[in-house]
Structure formats: C-alpha cells, structure tokens
Amino acid sequence: MLLEYLRQSLTLRVLPPSTPSTMSCSSASADCLGWAARDESGVLSPYNFSRRTPGVDDVSIRITHCGVCYADVIWTRNGHGDSKYPLVPGHEIAGIVKEVGSNVHRFKVGDHIGVGTYVNSCRDCEYCNDNEEVYCAKGMTFTFNGVDADGTITKGGYSSYIVVHERYCFSIPDDYPLASAAPLLCAGITVYAPMVRHKMNQHGKSLGVIGLGGLGHMAVKFGKAFGLNVTVFSTSLSKKEEALSILGADRFVISSDQEQMKALTKSLDFIVDTASGDHPFDPYMSLLKIGGVLTLVGFPSEVKFSPASLNTGMRIVSGSITAGTKVTQEMIDFCAARKIYPMIEVIPIEYANEAIERLLKRDVKYRFVIDIEKSLK
C-alpha cells in the first residue's frame, strides 16, 4: 500500500504557488548547473537549466551537499514509468541561504539550511494543518520529478542552487556539518519519525533493526541515543564488527540462523524494518513482545505474515515514509544536540554514476554525499 501511495502521489498536481513577486516567475537564463539523466539508462551528465525567480515567500539556496538516495536510482532509470527527462535527482539537500523573499522571516542570507523529499503541498488539508505535509491529501510535490509552483518539473539537489518556499526548508545549526546534515533529510527522518510516533524512545526498552544500510544505521544511532537495547538483524556476517564496535549495537544476529532467532522469541518491544528486499515477516513478528510494534520503512514487493503472528500477540504493524516539517526540524535539532552524525562517504559530482552502481551493490557505508560546492563547476 505504501508503494502504491508513493506512485499515486507522483501523479498528482498540487499546489498553491508561492505568492507572486514583482518579477517573472521564470528565470531568464539557464544559470543553474546540474547533473541530469536524459533517458532510462540513468546515466548522469552536466546539464544547464533555469530555476524560477524567487517569490516573496521563497528561499534561494546555494547547495553545498546532496545525499545519494535509492530514490535517485529509481527515477533516473524510470523505475515507476513516470520519469520526466531531463531528470535532476537529489532530495537530501544541504546548503546556505543566498536570497530570501520579502515575506520570509525564518531565514536570512548566510543561514545553513536543508531541503528534503518534498517542496510543496496544498497547505489547507487536515494533514498540512497538522504539519504532516508529506501526507498531504492532494499530494505533496516531490523535490525532483514533480510539478513545481510555476508548472515546471522540479529538479533536485544534484545542482548548484534551488528555490523553495520557506515552509519546506529546515534550519541546520551552524555547528552541524552540512555534509552530515544532508542524509538526515531522507534516511534520518524516515526512521526517526516512526520511532517517535510509536514511542520507541523509552529508555531501557528493546529495539530490533532489520538491515544495516543508510536507514538501518541511523535507526541504530537513534536507538542508542534513546537509551534502547539494540539488536541488529542482517544476512551478512561481515557487518557484525561494525554494528557492535562502531555503531554500538548491543547484539548482532544473522537472520537466517534459526537458533539465534528462536533464542530471541518475545524479547523485543519494537522492530524497525528497513529492508527493501523480499523477506519473511513471521520470524520477526515472533520476536516481538505482547503488544510490540513493527514499523516498515522499506519497500519489499509484498508484506505477508500469518494473522496469528499479529492477533495472538496483540502486535502492531505500521508503515511510514518520511515526515512533516515539524518532526523533521525536531529530528535535526535532536541530532545537533546529541551529536548524532550519519556515516558518510563524501564524493565529487563526477563520481555520481559510479556511486549509484556501488549503491546498487550495497557497497557504501552508509550514505554517499556529493560535495556540490567543491566539485560542481
């Protein structure tokens, strides 16, 4: 259902435009440099294009860093059949404010700022009114491959700058590295949001994390920051040392080992499932205590489990994507206060195609971040 929701959201055209400025809504020249895919091969190469002129409610942002997300792979390669080329990916954006509209009060020139997976919503439905814009009833506008306020196709953070309504921008503390901030805007918030929603922040409780990639390693970091006892489940023994010694997990379990799994029956209060590959659910459901919660943030092709796994244990299965503006800002502030940083590999834009190939092979610990400022010329 979540995948279907995501697909449907991409086809919806929302949105109130930014309040018009006295200038034209379109840039006069192609002054934005980016890297774009031109077709389903997904191969990225330099591309010059125009951004809309900032309106009175907009912020113009000089992009310094952009994270590489699996969503970039999906849409550059037309994975859902709706890609609009040329396509500039990237929705984990960090940068510095270079211009603000006359109605903008939250930001000033020089501020550190972030943009995540969406850049507009209807601003009038019950979800927008609750600052849950990601679930906008009329459909949010994605940061790339969506329809922008001026009717053009949105283009993402593999580019030199971006113009966004201030509502969808996030303040990044000056002492938090911008390269580290970028992955928070998708990978970080995707696991943080359901964890706080389901009160997985109760000190002393037990958490299981399925998968140790870009999302999973952040779930471990948040779990430890919340004071939870964290168990990592993986199919790869090679991740054990890092899970325990570097990320600080309390236990590492090979999920295919039936004896290890059985030993943990009814031992976990919560599970965060970050795995997008197909996998069985009943073995994990059996690990939850009575009333335990499993939250799914990955996108396997199907979710299948016995009703008994749910009913006899009074268990809860929940899904989640990213989050609205309120919770996202809360997460950024929490990371800054607790000095929580994603594990990243900083790369130049010229390495983007190779990085995507490595991402497909799961050969990254744990998030690529493009240094836009230094390499995009």
Side-chain angles (χ1 to χ4, degrees):
M1 292 299 294
L2 279 174
L3 185 55
E4 183 62 26
Y5 166 81
L6 190 60
R7 288 172 174 166
Q8 291 175 358
S9 296
L10 283 166
T11 67
L12 294 172
R13 296 197 176 195
V14 238
L15 299 174
S18 301
T19 305
S21 67
T22 57
M23 302 175 67
S24 166
C25 286
S26 299
S27 291
S29 61
D31 64 339
C32 189
L33 176 60
W35 275 48
R38 270 56 171 210
D39 54 42
E40 294 184 3
S41 71
V43 174
L44 299 163
S45 58
Y47 171 63
N48 287 89
F49 63 100
S50 301
R51 293 284 190 190
R52 60 182 172 85
T53 298
V56 295
D57 299 310
D58 289 332
V59 181
S60 181
I61 302 162
R62 174 169 59 85
I63 298 173
T64 62
H65 297 85
C66 185
V68 178
C69 176
Y70 191 71
D72 302 342
V73 181
I74 293 173
W75 276 281
T76 55
R77 301 188 179 191
N78 201 26
H80 291 325
D82 58 4
S83 297
K84 307 171 183 68
Y85 298 106
L87 191 150
V88 179
H91 63 196
E92 295 182 339
I93 300 168
I96 298 172
V97 176
K98 68 172 188 172
E99 182 182 351
V100 298
S102 58
N103 286 349
V104 174
H105 303 294
R106 292 174 52 222
F107 303 99
K108 65 182 186 302
V109 173
D111 283 352
H112 290 190
I113 193 169
V115 177
T117 58
Y118 54 94
V119 292
N120 213 339
S121 63
C122 79
R123 305 178 214 157
D124 194 39
C125 68
E126 60 178 305
Y127 306 105
C128 287
N129 288 335
D130 285 340
N131 293 114
E132 290 283 9
E133 297 90 344
V134 69
Y135 299 107
C136 175
K138 296 181 181 179
M140 60 177 168
T141 296
F142 283 84
T143 302
F144 66 88
N145 202 55
V147 181
D148 208 348
D150 62 347
T152 60
I153 304 304
T154 57
K155 293 178 170 57
Y158 291 26
S159 58
S160 55
Y161 80 98
I162 192 169
V163 177
V164 182
H165 188 286
E166 71 163 329
R167 175 169 179 158
Y168 309 95
C169 299
F170 305 99
S171 178
I172 299 172
D174 288 344
D175 60 352
Y176 196 92
L178 289 172
S180 297
L184 298 182
L185 278 305
C186 179
I189 190 58
T190 296
V191 293
Y192 180 90
M195 291 180 77
V196 296
R197 182 184 307 126
H198 294 291
K199 297 180 172 55
M200 299 183 189
N201 53 2
Q202 302 172 58
H203 191 277
K205 296 284 188 177
S206 55
L207 169 71
V209 177
I210 303 174
L212 196 62
L215 276 64
H217 94 287
M218 288 304 299
V220 174
K221 284 177 172 282
F222 287 135
K224 295 307 298 181
F226 292 143
L228 305 180
N229 185 289
V230 179
T231 299
V232 171
F233 297 91
S234 177
T235 58
S236 175
L237 184 61
S238 64
K239 295 186 177 182
K240 180 176 181 178
E241 180 67 21
E242 195 152 280
L244 299 176
S245 301
I246 298 178
L247 294 174
D250 300 281
R251 187 186 292 112
F252 182 91
V253 173
I254 295 296
S255 55
S256 59
D257 188 322
Q258 295 184 13
E259 289 189 9
Q260 289 188 56
M261 294 287 283
K262 187 176 180 180
L264 295 178
T265 299
K266 293 184 178 179
S267 67
L268 302 177
D269 296 289
F270 317 111
I271 294 176
V272 174
D273 186 347
T274 72
S276 284
D278 287 340
H279 57 284
F281 283 82
D282 284 315
Y284 293 109
M285 295 289 284
S286 70
L287 306 185
L288 288 171
K289 295 179 182 179
I290 302 301
V293 179
L294 183 149
T295 186
L296 178 68
V297 296
F299 284 90
S301 65
E302 67 174 7
V303 176
K304 185 177 181 180
F305 53 85
S306 166
S309 292
L310 195 69
N311 299 346
T312 60
M314 200 174 63
R315 299 181 179 105
I316 297 169
V317 175
S318 173
S320 189
I321 40 177
T322 57
T325 52
K326 180 180 179 181
V327 176
T328 302
Q329 187 63 62
E330 173 190 300
M331 175 213 57
I332 294 170
D333 295 341
F334 179 78
C335 288
R338 301 297 295 270
K339 300 188 184 306
I340 299 170
Y341 307 106
M343 292 178 65
I344 61 175
E345 182 176 336
V346 179
I347 61 171
I349 189 71
E350 294 84 3
Y351 191 76
N353 288 306
E354 188 169 346
I356 285 175
E357 292 300 325
R358 283 180 55 191
L359 179 61
L360 288 168
K361 298 174 183 175
R362 301 180 183 178
D363 178 24
V364 54
K365 294 180 180 179
Y366 285 98
R367 207 66 162 181
F368 288 116
V369 175
I370 301 170
D371 190 331
I372 298 291
E373 184 176 45
K374 291 183 179 178
S375 64
L376 184 61
K377 306 295 184 183

